[in-house]
Structures are given as structure tokens and as C-alpha cells.
Amino acid sequence: MSMTLSFFDPTDSNGLAPEEATIANRIRDAILERRLPPGSKLPEEHLAETFATTRARVRRVLLALSREHIIVLQPARGASVARPTPEDAMHILAARRVLEIGTVEHPCRKLTDEAYETLRATIERERESHRQNDSVNMIRLSGQFHLELALAVGNPVIAAMLRDLILRTSLIIALFERRKATCCLTMDHGQILAAIHEGATMEAARLMARHLLEIEGNMDFSLAPPPVTSLSFLLAPS
């Protein structure tokens, strides 16, 4: 089975033209890597200039991203990055628990040797990012592990749902995380993968539940929102 589906599969265009899909992926990148904070304004004119395209194309991109609930479109106020409320955050995190715990407890398919090696390689790259204190790669690879795992033992429908939830979780963490730039511990990922590889599905589910609850436990819903930075910087290639 192919493990090439990432957060931003170029074949998953969401009905956008190739140029528009590329722009959408750049914006998703910035959100996932927490370079584009919740609440950031996304003026069409500025985006068109940044991406050397037309406002009509930008408008289609923003509409597509609004369907993923990571962009909010408001009449007379334009587009902005979604800013989840504490209640939104609890619902999103609970949805991840249902999906991810259920997927490892009742897998749709057996973990293949190829998938196992792919996941091990992702964990190793994540460890290297931790060693180098590369927060952008830590964030990306942490989410990549969860998505690859859903593809390996679940199915593409679950993985697509999880991809969107991971993006929305990135907004939640940007708003409410107590310690900034904290990512999933690679030790947790390694233990979850080992349990699945050994066929210990109940143990894998227990580890996944503990892992996700630890992420939730690091949230403080009373924190002030982060400052907004220049779009040109935030949307620069990573």
C-alpha cells in the first residue's frame, strides 16, 4: 500500500485548479506549522500579490479552506484564520480521541512490514528534529505520524477526516498550549507503534488515549491569543 498521502496530497485538489491547490497547500502549511496564528486576517488583495495570482483564484482557495473549517469567511470583514473557542477545542479534541483510539483498537487492516518501516522512519526523523530543536519539522512530523498510522491500519476516509482534525488541532495548540512548541513525544509514538506491530490492540488503544489526553492536559483555555505577524513572512516556503 502507498504511504505517500500527506497532509497536502497534490492529487487531493478539493476541486481547485493546480495553481489554486498549491496556494491552498501553502496556507495549510503555515497553519499546521503554527506560522499563521488563529485570527490572522487574509485579505484577498494581499494574498493575490503574495502568490502572484488573481483575486478570483484567491477567493476560490479561501472558500475551499473555509469548508475545512480552518478559514472563516465573514460578510464585509473578509477572510481570517479560524479561532476556535474553548468549546470548539474540546469538541475537536474529543473527535480525535474517538477516531484515533477506535482506529488502533479496531483496525481495518493489519499493519504491513512496509507500513511499519515507514512509520519507524517518520519517528526517527521526528527524533532528529527534536535533537536539532527544529520546531517546524517537529510539528509536521508529529502530525505526519498520526496521519500515516490512520492510513496504515484504518482507511482513506478516516485519514482524510483526521487530516482536517490535525490541522484544526494546530490552531487549538497555537491558542491554548501552556508550553509553546511542544509536540507529541516520540517515545509515545514509538510505544504505540510497537503495540500495534505486536498485535496488542487494546494496549495500543490505551497508549493512544493516554497520549491524546496528555496533549489536551497541556491546554489552558484562559490564555491570551498570540500576536499576528506579516503574511509575507508567514506564507514564505518552509
Side-chain angles (χ1 to χ4, degrees):
M1 111 181 210
S2 171
M3 291 292 292
T4 58
L5 176 63
S6 69
F7 284 97
F8 317 122
D9 184 353
T11 65
D12 182 18
S13 65
N14 200 9
L16 298 173
E19 178 186 341
E20 295 163 354
T22 298
I23 296 169
N25 289 345
R26 290 274 296 279
I27 295 173
R28 291 191 194 102
D29 267 328
I31 291 172
L32 175 70
E33 295 167 0
R34 305 176 206 170
R35 291 181 286 117
L36 195 53
S40 298
K41 297 293 185 182
L42 299 171
E44 288 180 8
E45 186 175 358
H46 192 151
L47 289 172
E49 182 180 345
T50 298
F51 293 114
T53 190
T54 66
R55 292 182 67 172
R57 288 193 180 279
V58 167
R59 199 170 298 124
R60 285 193 288 272
V61 168
L62 295 174
L63 181 60
L65 294 177
S66 73
R67 297 191 192 106
E68 299 175 12
H69 306 289
I70 58 174
I71 297 296
V72 175
L73 299 178
Q74 294 178 300
R77 299 184 64 184
S80 60
V81 179
R83 187 193 292 270
T85 66
E87 184 179 18
D88 293 334
M90 288 185 282
H91 289 161
I92 292 165
L93 295 170
R96 278 196 68 172
R97 285 201 309 274
V98 170
L99 273 183
E100 297 202 69
I101 296 169
T103 297
V104 297
E105 187 173 5
H106 303 288
C108 299
R109 67 184 76 190
K110 190 177 186 294
L111 183 68
T112 66
D113 291 341
E114 178 189 2
Y116 174 70
E117 290 303 325
T118 297
L119 285 158
R120 276 209 325 148
T122 298
I123 291 172
E124 184 49 45
R125 290 198 302 274
E126 193 182 358
R127 287 187 181 125
E128 183 59 28
S129 295
H130 274 269
R131 285 192 288 267
Q132 295 180 4
N133 199 28
D134 182 348
S135 61
V136 169
N137 251 339
M138 282 192 282
I139 292 163
R140 172 173 292 281
L141 289 167
S142 172
Q144 189 73 26
F145 171 83
H146 285 266
L147 184 60
E148 287 176 344
L149 183 61
L151 277 169
V153 300
N155 63 52
V157 174
I158 291 173
M161 294 169 66
L162 183 59
R163 185 197 72 162
D164 292 347
L165 289 172
I166 290 170
L167 277 167
R168 296 174 76 180
T169 300
S170 189
L171 291 172
I172 292 166
I173 291 172
L175 279 170
F176 302 120
E177 188 180 39
R178 287 193 180 93
R179 296 182 300 276
K180 297 302 176 187
T182 299
C183 304
C184 298
L185 294 175
T186 52
M187 181 175 68
D188 286 358
H189 288 169
Q191 290 173 345
I192 292 166
L193 179 60
I196 293 170
H197 187 53
E198 293 164 6
T201 56
M202 294 301 292
E203 175 64 6
R206 185 190 71 79
L207 290 168
M208 181 65 80
R210 184 189 71 178
H211 179 56
L212 295 174
L213 286 169
E214 284 177 352
I215 295 172
E216 293 180 38
N218 196 35
M219 301 298 143
D220 181 351
F221 294 128
S222 67
L223 289 175
V228 176
T229 324
S230 161
L231 283 183
S232 299
F233 168 72
L234 293 167
L235 295 173
S238 53

